[in-house]
Amino acid sequence: MRIRIVGAGAMGRGIAQWAVSAGHTVELCDVRQTAVTTAVDFVRSMLERAVHKGRMTAGDCAAALERLVPLDDPWARGADVELVVEAVQEDLDTKAEVFGKLEQVMPPSAVFATNTSSLSVTRIAATLEDPSRLAGLHFFNPVPLMKIVEVVPGAATRPDVPPFLTALVEGCGHHAVTVADTPGFLVNHAGRGLVTEALALLEESVARPADIDRIARDVLGLRMGPFELMDLTGLDVTAAVIDSIWEGFRHEDRLRPSYLTPNRVTAGLHGRKTGQGWYDYGPGAPAPVAEPPVTGDANRPVFVPRTGSPAAAALRDVLVAAGAVVEAGTEPSGDSVVLAPVWGTTVASAVAALGLPAGRTFGADPLPSAGRRRVLAVTPASDPSVARDARAVLARAADGGEPYAVSVVRDTAGSVAQRLLASVVSVASSMAERSLASPADIDLAVKTGLGYPEGPLAWGDRMNATRMLELQRNLHATTGDPRYRPARWLTERAQLGLPLTAPGTSPADCTGR
């Protein structure tokens, strides 16, 4: 296939490298000829590096470079071009001008694709004489490594265009997911679940950024914590995406931005690229603050309330296996530490409902940990010396193994990991409910594009849909905040015994349409 790429910046040259490596001929152009020269040199260096590392033969490298055709004129006629990919700046007027000129020099059979990440594909297409020829083809940087591409049909896109683009993407070794033309498309929309909830936890002083990141990594199994991720992406970029998606979905509560970001963006606290964000960077940056050591009495008696919940029984079994002194009665002794496994509720509510001693009762998150970390929740009434003992008890490991790290956080509905997971699953469920993409594509795109250990819907299934529904209902009831209301997708599937990853039966299935 002969492809013309308009825009020789980082994204354009990445797409060019990807396409020529897969056997396609690429015409690379830009209004700045120096950008084209730089891009060609970059592609050559990357292909030569692949040869050096044994990932490509010298002959394949030479053939790929022969297929890379730099153009002096972006508006040269392209009688043989089958696909045009636009990768210019994120500005509607600029993209409209580019496609308007291309429409005059390209054959009617050529498909147009925009790599926009934030603009409406339908609005871009509406500027063309033939809007049916254009769709979104959203790549992620670095293109050769990020093996996911969003195919985004606009409202007027011809039915044959998305399959054509999907075949191209998959023929080049990447995964293609089809997503509706809505704010954030799929990956950026799904990613809001983690970062908006992390910011909400920080707003409420539940934990510091470093503690939230540790819990996200060690309990949920994420590669990076949300604040580390914001510093890598740039808070200016992250905040703009959060705001645009929230506004685009008419102030949907699940996507609500934080008041914390505007001032930090204005102050230039963008993250790695400015040297300071949620963390400090650069040669003069202070070393990360280490977690305080565990100093309490790990042999202090511990009492787990007998609520009849599986979480309480599981916590009791874990502590017994670790050699803790677990009390067997129905009431705590006068000296015991009380650990209450809360699920979407607060420690304070457990103290009030069960008549537990406020100074000695703490929350223990029952969410299974992906690593060696547990979470202890303290209330305003907690006795600090007892809290240190509770932390030591919770750090115990079975059979004398390596002790668990224990994060200490402020009591909140559901604790940190539960709220982060509930938000990730809730946003994905809402996307499936709105038919923005298929459940399989949502999971594939998020796992591949965001590096989550599994797709959000599959993650919810592993936790059990009924259990996730209970968590979200408890969060909603405890906080009164509509951001935690369960999505219909989750509610129905939990009630019907269906997995979250199942598309389910539609009216069309029952009418033969």
Side-chain angles (χ1 to χ4, degrees):
M1 182 185 300
R2 193 173 191 89
I3 303 170
R4 179 174 297 186
I5 298 174
V6 181
M11 186 62 75
R13 68 195 188 194
I15 299 171
Q17 177 190 340
W18 169 79
V20 297
S21 298
H24 298 288
T25 298
V26 172
E27 300 177 352
L28 184 59
C29 55
D30 196 291
V31 292
R32 303 160 300 154
Q33 191 56 39
T34 55
V36 177
T37 302
T38 300
V40 170
D41 290 342
F42 172 83
V43 173
R44 179 182 294 107
S45 69
M46 296 306 293
L47 295 180
E48 289 174 348
R49 180 185 297 181
V51 172
H52 179 71
K53 293 187 174 183
R55 295 197 296 262
M56 174 182 276
T57 67
D60 288 342
C61 173
L65 289 172
E66 287 182 4
R67 292 191 291 270
L68 182 59
V69 182
L71 293 184
D72 295 331
D73 180 10
W75 324 124
R77 293 200 170 273
D80 298 328
V81 172
E82 298 176 63
L83 172 66
V84 178
V85 180
E86 164 272 311
V88 302
Q89 66 181 359
E90 279 291 274
D91 176 76
L92 179 62
D93 291 339
T94 300
K95 292 179 185 292
E97 180 182 359
V98 166
F99 281 119
K101 292 180 178 179
L102 289 168
E103 208 168 22
Q104 304 305 312
V105 297
M106 290 292 160
S109 59
V111 171
F112 287 177
T114 173
N115 185 56
T116 183
S117 61
S118 61
L119 299 175
S120 164
V121 172
T122 300
R123 290 187 64 189
I124 297 171
T127 65
L128 297 176
E129 293 179 11
D130 178 13
S132 71
R133 71 194 303 186
L134 184 141
L137 194 64
H138 181 215
F139 292 84
F140 296 85
N141 252 331
V143 175
L145 299 180
M146 295 294 288
K147 295 183 178 296
I148 192 75
V149 183
E150 295 174 328
V151 175
V152 190
T157 302
R158 294 195 315 263
D160 63 295
V161 171
F164 169 80
L165 296 175
T166 296
L168 167 70
V169 169
E170 295 183 344
C172 293
H174 278 30
H175 299 294
V177 292
T178 302
V179 57
D181 182 20
T182 52
F185 303 146
L186 200 167
V187 173
N188 282 333
H189 184 171
R192 297 318 94 200
L194 180 69
V195 294
T196 56
E197 193 61 32
L199 289 165
L201 287 162
L202 186 60
E203 282 183 9
E204 299 166 27
S205 301
V206 173
R208 297 169 300 176
D211 292 318
I212 294 172
D213 281 349
R214 290 185 186 112
I215 293 168
R217 292 193 309 267
D218 298 346
V219 177
L220 296 180
L222 298 176
R223 294 178 187 173
M224 299 182 72
F227 293 97
E228 294 170 318
L229 181 61
M230 284 186 268
D231 272 1
L232 178 65
T233 305
L235 186 62
D236 53 334
V237 174
T238 299
V241 172
I242 291 173
D243 288 347
S244 67
I245 293 176
W246 180 63
E247 291 165 3
F249 280 96
R250 300 298 187 261
H251 298 179
E252 163 64 54
D253 288 301
R254 285 187 183 86
L255 305 170
R256 189 167 63 235
S258 169
Y259 70 81
L260 295 173
T261 56
N263 281 349
R264 297 185 69 87
V265 171
T266 300
L269 303 176
H270 299 172
R272 290 178 180 270
K273 61 186 177 184
T274 59
Q276 190 175 8
W278 302 110
Y279 301 93
D280 294 327
Y281 302 91
V289 178
E291 289 187 85
V294 175
T295 58
D297 179 7
N299 294 313
R300 185 163 181 169
V302 59
F303 175 79
V304 178
R306 294 185 176 277
T307 60
S309 72
L315 176 60
R316 194 177 297 109
D317 291 344
V318 164
L319 293 172
V320 168
V325 181
V326 181
E327 295 182 341
T330 58
E331 299 289 338
S333 68
D335 187 50
S336 62
V337 167
V338 180
L339 293 179
V342 295
W343 189 249
T345 57
T346 63
V347 180
S349 66
V351 168
L354 302 175
L356 300 171
R360 293 187 285 122
T361 301
F362 307 90
D365 191 346
L367 194 68
S369 178
R372 299 195 65 80
R373 180 172 298 278
R374 292 171 177 159
V375 181
L376 183 76
V378 300
T379 73
S382 294
D383 182 322
S385 64
V386 183
R388 287 190 284 274
D389 292 344
R391 184 168 180 243
V393 170
L394 208 53
R396 299 183 68 128
D399 301 324
E402 178 187 354
Y404 280 78
V406 180
S407 296
V408 180
V409 302
R410 179 181 176 181
D411 182 28
T412 183
S415 195
V416 172
Q418 291 176 32
R419 281 179 53 174
L420 293 176
L421 177 59
S423 183
V424 168
V425 174
S426 179
V427 169
S429 296
S430 178
M431 294 174 69
E433 181 179 305
R434 297 167 188 247
S435 299
L436 303 188
S438 71
D441 278 356
I442 291 172
D443 273 1
L444 174 62
V446 171
K447 184 176 180 180
T448 307
L450 297 178
Y452 287 7
E454 54 194 317
L457 299 175
W459 204 345
D461 281 338
R462 180 167 62 82
M463 295 306 301
N464 185 286
T466 301
R467 187 82 166 131
M468 289 303 304
L469 177 59
E470 179 189 9
L471 172 59
Q472 294 190 8
R473 280 178 169 168
N474 287 346
L475 288 170
H476 191 202
T478 302
T479 65
D481 190 335
R483 78 186 287 141
Y484 301 114
R485 74 189 188 283
R488 179 167 56 89
W489 186 271
L490 171 61
T491 303
E492 287 182 339
R493 278 153 180 76
Q495 292 170 336
L496 295 170
L498 295 174
L500 299 179
T501 50
T505 303
S506 71
D509 296 329
C510 302
T511 58
R513 286 185 287 122

